Amino acid sequence: DAKTTQPPSMDCAEGRAANLPCNHSTISGNEYVYWYRQIHSQGPQYIIHGLKNNETNEMASLIITEDRKSSTLILPHATLRDTAVYYCIVRRRGNNRKLIWGLGTSLAVNP
Amino acid sequence: DAMVIQNPRYQVTQFGKPVTLSCSQTLNHNVMYWYQQKSSQAPKLLFHYYDKDFNNEADTPDNFQSRRPNTSFCFLDIRSPGLGDAAMYLCATSRGSRDSLSQETQYFGPGTRLLVL
């Protein structure tokens, strides 16, 4: 599975959009991009995933570049409760269920 | 609400004393996973069950075992805990399919933090 690189930490003002980048330059055509987040002392929470088209759900938007070598997770109106570690994961389509986790981005949303 | 439940949230054991961590789910998912997460690290997959089929990761120590008596429950047994096994243990589930085109989102429980004295 392709490796991902993310900035170790980011800050965002409450109410503003948080844009979290992820680089996955070695991604192959059958690999999806997943985003999870983990609030301190809790289990990881699924946010969104995509293959090549941009995706949006009630939590966030996922923008994948045309060459699929990078993506951005967008939290449109960050709140204090969005403070967490955000993991970008590339996962192969099919029977391989293993999620290859990077170190993630620690997002701090400030009042 | 349908969910993944882990009890207890905190478990203290003694060095070398066997310990069992529990996970149950109301999602009726056929795949269940156990992860180990040490401080400031990403979760590390130990093994998973696809239905009753057990799939061990190559680098999971023999000290770690698992049982899945039915769809809803899965247990993690640590036969002889060492100080290095102190960690958060996460259970997750997904709806698996033998169809190679399917994708599976994993849903996690809150975790059990294990302390080894």
Side-chain angles (χ1 to χ4, degrees):
Chain A
D1 291 328
K3 287 181 64 175
T4 62
T5 53
Q6 300 174 252
S9 63
M10 291 182 64
D11 286 289
C12 177
E14 188 178 18
R16 304 296 294 267
N19 298 294
L20 293 96
C22 178
N23 182 289
H24 32 80
S25 57
T26 59
I27 195 170
S28 60
N30 65 348
E31 290 178 323
Y32 281 75
V33 179
Y34 275 76
W35 284 83
Y36 282 76
R37 73 180 182 184
Q38 188 171 25
I39 295 169
H40 182 65
S41 294
Q42 296 184 22
Q45 177 188 23
Y46 165 78
I47 302 173
I48 199 167
H49 75 278
L51 183 63
K52 54 184 177 180
N53 297 322
N54 297 338
E55 302 287 344
T56 295
N57 63 20
E58 65 278 4
M59 287 182 71
S61 295
L62 174 61
I63 308 298
I64 303 174
T65 57
E66 194 169 339
D67 63 7
R68 302 207 326 119
K69 292 181 185 292
S70 65
S71 60
T72 301
L73 178 75
I74 300 172
L75 308 177
H77 305 288
T79 70
L80 299 179
R81 289 190 221 176
D82 293 321
T83 293
V85 178
Y86 287 77
Y87 293 99
C88 170
I89 299 162
V90 173
R91 181 176 173 272
R92 185 174 302 135
R93 198 178 186 188
N95 290 331
N96 184 348
R97 296 182 173 81
K98 186 171 183 176
L99 298 177
I100 308 296
W101 301 72
L103 294 176
T105 295
S106 178
L107 175 69
V109 180
N110 304 310
Chain B
D1 287 342
M3 59 177 61
V4 182
I5 302 158
Q6 291 187 249
N7 286 308
R9 293 295 309 275
Y10 298 89
Q11 176 75 55
V12 181
T13 191
Q14 292 178 331
F15 182 94
K17 184 176 181 180
V19 65
T20 295
L21 307 183
S22 301
C23 177
S24 64
Q25 52 125 344
T26 60
L27 296 161
N28 202 32
H29 285 169
N30 58 333
V31 189
M32 294 186 77
Y33 310 77
W34 280 104
Y35 287 84
Q36 179 193 64
Q37 185 176 27
K38 296 188 176 180
S39 181
S40 300
Q41 296 184 20
K44 177 179 179 296
L45 181 65
L46 295 174
F47 25 61
H48 76 274
Y49 275 93
Y50 187 106
D51 294 325
K52 294 183 179 180
D53 295 334
F54 178 71
N55 298 271
N56 198 30
E57 292 299 305
D59 56 354
T60 298
D62 292 340
N63 198 25
F64 292 89
Q65 305 284 322
S66 186
R67 295 171 284 134
R68 189 180 186 186
N70 54 51
T71 299
S72 300
F73 286 86
C74 195
F75 300 99
L76 170 63
D77 300 308
I78 308 176
R79 293 193 296 188
S80 181
L83 298 179
D85 297 326
M88 172 83 89
Y89 289 88
L90 297 161
C91 175
T93 73
S94 69
R95 185 184 305 280
S97 169
R98 301 272 182 206
D99 174 5
S100 64
L101 298 179
S102 68
Q103 283 296 296
E104 300 167 18
T105 296
Q106 295 184 19
Y107 296 89
F108 286 80
T112 294
R113 186 167 296 281
L114 179 68
L115 180 62
V116 181
L117 300 179

